[in-house]
């Protein structure tokens, strides 16, 4: 037995259920209690309210049918008077039919004894009551109170609760989904643009050309690593007539600042000058004589530094030049490994007379971690 039927039957047990007027008061009280419960719950939808009212109408029809005696069948035009509800009226429902919108009658219901009979005995059937569609909220005298706001069973509570409208739920979640998709799309576009910039997709051909500029030694002091990497010792000897700039046998033309070191050493590879820049990043200077610069004036010269890193410690060295009135060489940077190699750079000198000697400054550790570099020789040649 569901909560609606149980509430109505409990109310009927408190009075004379055989009294039709008493039953009508109970039915009206049930509708009034339902309306109060629906109005007290703002979340109840119109569809649910209609459903609840139809459920009460169906139960009242079922209960009321237990109190009606059997009557003869009603013809198409009606052999018995119609049951009326004041100004409202509703057709009677024959046995076996489901009422679509039942309503409680407001006047007495005619029984089989009140209807005219045919001369012979006709088949008899039960006539279900007609109940009102909407009940007044006014209090009814002698009607037991019926509480529809708090049904006794969990099933009734589930019926009173507003139905879950999945379309409204999806509608509330749609903005969150749209925001998530938009953020994901923007993140993907941002990552794609980042990698495109990193890989040089938007760079011009000139920007992608990282070769050293073929310009006079008045270029800006930019860091770069000359292309081609280090050459093996002796690889360039056949094509060049070298002029010696520095040799470990004569270290008198080497200058080291106070926090840097320069020391002549020797092993199975030969003599070399081990230089170690200080914590300030100061460089060790190698003199380039004025006579050497006079031979290079107006020429395209290639400098060759033969070096290696300290054993077990690869390093990055930087090279700067100061050739006085002949300009400089820009800043070069090389990754120097443990094997002895040649590190080349070229300079196109202006055609003028140098007024003094120049210098080549080498920083043994561009990262300022105190690593050393071994310098075997510095030499220069003029391009034919």
């Amino acid at each position: 037995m569901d909560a609606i039927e149980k509430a109505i039957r409990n109310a009927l047990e408190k009075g004379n259920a055989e009294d039709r007027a008493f039953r009508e008061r109970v039915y009206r009280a049930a509708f009034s209690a339902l309306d109060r419960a629906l109005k007290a719950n703002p979340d109840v939808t119109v569809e649910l309210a209609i459903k609840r009212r139809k459920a009460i109408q169906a139960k009242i029809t079922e209960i009321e049918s237990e109190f009606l005696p059997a009557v003869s069948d009603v013809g198409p035009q009606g052999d018995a008077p119609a049951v009326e509800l004041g100004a409202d009226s509703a057709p009677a429902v024959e046995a076996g039919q489901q009422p679509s919108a039942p309503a409680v009658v407001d006047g007495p219901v005619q029984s089989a004894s009140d209807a005219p009979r045919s001369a012979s005995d006709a088949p008899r059937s039960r006539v279900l009551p007609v109940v009102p569609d909407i009940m007044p909220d006014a209090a009814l005298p002698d009607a037991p109170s019926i509480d529809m706001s708090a049904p006794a069973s969990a099933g009734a509570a589930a019926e009173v609760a507003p139905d879950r409208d999945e379309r409204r739920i999806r509608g509330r979640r749609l903005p969150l989904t749209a925001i998530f998709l938009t953020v994901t799309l923007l993140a993907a576009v941002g990552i794609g643009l980042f990698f495109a910039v990193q890989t040089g997709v938007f760079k011009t051909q000139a920007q992608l050309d990282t070769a050293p500029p073929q310009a006079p030694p008045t270029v800006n002091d930019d860091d770069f690593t000359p292309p081609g990497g280090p050459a093996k010792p002796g690889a360039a000897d056949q094509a060049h007539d070298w002029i010696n700039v520095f040799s470990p046998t004569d270290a008198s033309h080497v200058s080291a600042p106070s926090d840097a070191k320069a020391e002549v050493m020797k092993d199975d590879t030969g003599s070399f000058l081990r230089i170690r820049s200080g914590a300030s990043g100061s460089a060790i200077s190698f003199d380039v004589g004025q006579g050497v610069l006079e031979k290079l004036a107006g020429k395209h010269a290639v400098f060759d530094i033969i070096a290696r890193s300290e054993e077990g410690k690869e390093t990055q060295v930087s090279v700067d030049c100061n050739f006085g009135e002949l300009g400089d060489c820009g800043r070069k940077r090389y990754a120097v490994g443990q094997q002895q190699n040649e590190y080349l750079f070229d300079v196109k000198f202006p055609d003028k007379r140098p007024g003094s000697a120049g210098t080549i400054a080498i920083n043994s550790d561009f990262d300022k971690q105190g690593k050393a570099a071994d310098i075997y020789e510095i030499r220069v040649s003029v391009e034919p």
Side-chain angles (χ1 to χ4, degrees), residues 34-55:
L34 174 63
D35 286 342
R36 289 193 299 272
L38 295 178
K39 291 178 181 179
N41 190 348
D43 294 331
V44 175
T45 63
V46 176
E47 292 80 1
L48 180 60
I50 295 174
K51 178 181 177 181
R52 293 284 293 157
R53 287 190 176 96
K54 287 184 177 181

Side-chain angles (χ1 to χ4, degrees), residues 200-218:
V201 172
F202 302 112
K203 291 184 178 179
T204 64
Q205 186 63 32
Q207 291 174 323
L208 293 174
D209 185 6
T210 58
Q214 300 296 324
T218 56

Side-chain angles (χ1 to χ4, degrees), residues 58-281:
K59 286 300 176 183
I60 291 175
T61 301
E62 180 181 343
I63 294 172
E64 184 64 17
S65 66
E66 300 176 3
F67 297 94
L68 295 180
V71 298
S72 59
D73 289 339
V74 180
Q77 300 299 325
D79 295 332
V83 180
E84 296 183 352
L85 175 63
D88 297 333
S89 65
V93 181
E94 296 184 359
Q97 291 182 339
Q98 179 65 33
S100 58
V104 173
V105 294
D106 195 25
V109 177
Q110 293 181 348
S111 65
S113 59
D114 299 325
R117 299 171 181 261
S118 60
S120 61
D121 292 335
R124 305 174 69 84
S125 63
R126 300 180 63 85
V127 176
L128 298 182
V130 185
V131 297
D133 182 46
I134 301 177
M135 302 303 298
D137 290 335
L140 300 173
D142 302 329
S145 60
I146 298 179
D147 186 7
M148 290 292 180
S149 61
S153 65
E159 292 181 3
V160 174
D163 34 313
R164 292 175 57 86
D165 192 337
E166 295 297 333
R167 292 173 297 177
R168 291 204 304 270
I169 295 175
R170 288 195 299 269
R172 290 195 295 270
R173 293 179 180 174
L174 180 58
L176 296 178
T177 303
I179 292 173
F180 173 76
L181 292 177
T182 302
V183 171
T184 302
L185 180 60
L186 291 177
V189 172
I191 293 173
L193 290 176
F194 173 78
F195 280 105
V197 171
Q198 294 296 316
T199 54
V201 172
F202 302 112
K203 291 184 178 179
T204 64
Q205 186 63 32
Q207 291 174 323
L208 293 174
D209 185 6
T210 58
Q214 300 296 324
T218 56
V219 296
N220 294 332
D221 191 23
D222 295 328
D223 291 342
F224 72 95
T225 300
K232 294 296 182 181
D237 289 347
Q238 298 178 355
H240 295 82
D241 184 13
W242 295 105
I243 302 172
N244 182 268
V245 176
F246 163 77
S247 174
T249 58
D250 184 9
S252 60
H253 298 288
V254 178
S255 302
S258 59
D259 61 343
K261 295 181 181 179
E263 182 181 4
V264 177
M265 304 180 68
K266 185 177 182 179
D267 60 11
D268 56 355
T269 62
S271 298
F272 54 86
L273 181 69
R274 175 162 292 178
I275 62 174
R276 191 185 305 274
S277 298
S280 63

